[in-house]
Amino acid sequence: SAADCGRLLEEIYEGACVSEGASEEMLGLLLDQQRTGKIPSGVPEGVVTANKTGETDEVQHDAAIVFGPQTDYILCVMSADIASSEAAVSTIQEISAMVYDCLNPLG
């Protein structure tokens, strides 16, 4: 579930997932994610994200730690029974942008 993914990312962020060393290694893997077309695409260029995507013909998911200039946060978005992958990805990007703007408003 999105809540479970969020809890896992929170433990990684806090260095408390298995151990501090394991958390750092997991964070490194998430920071190296090559699929950045969902949550990371909704934040300004240069903002660091650590994410993990999931997709099939029926679903589009992304879970991320976003390292904002004012506030770091975790965002998990999962879809089901989608009619269009493109529309689902676009919706994830829009949600990401709205959350970013709310938590990291321009000064």
Side-chain angles (χ1 to χ4, degrees), residues 56-106:
T56 67
D57 291 340
E58 292 83 28
V59 301
Q60 289 288 332
H61 304 325
D62 200 3
I65 302 168
V66 178
F67 296 91
Q70 296 173 338
T71 303
D72 297 342
Y73 61 92
I74 294 167
L75 177 62
C76 301
V77 182
M78 296 185 168
S79 64
D81 301 321
I82 60 174
S84 163
S85 289
E86 294 80 19
V89 168
S90 178
T91 299
I92 292 171
Q93 293 167 343
E94 291 172 15
I95 291 168
S96 177
M98 287 188 290
V99 171
Y100 180 86
D101 290 344
C102 180
L103 295 176
N104 288 281
L106 295 175

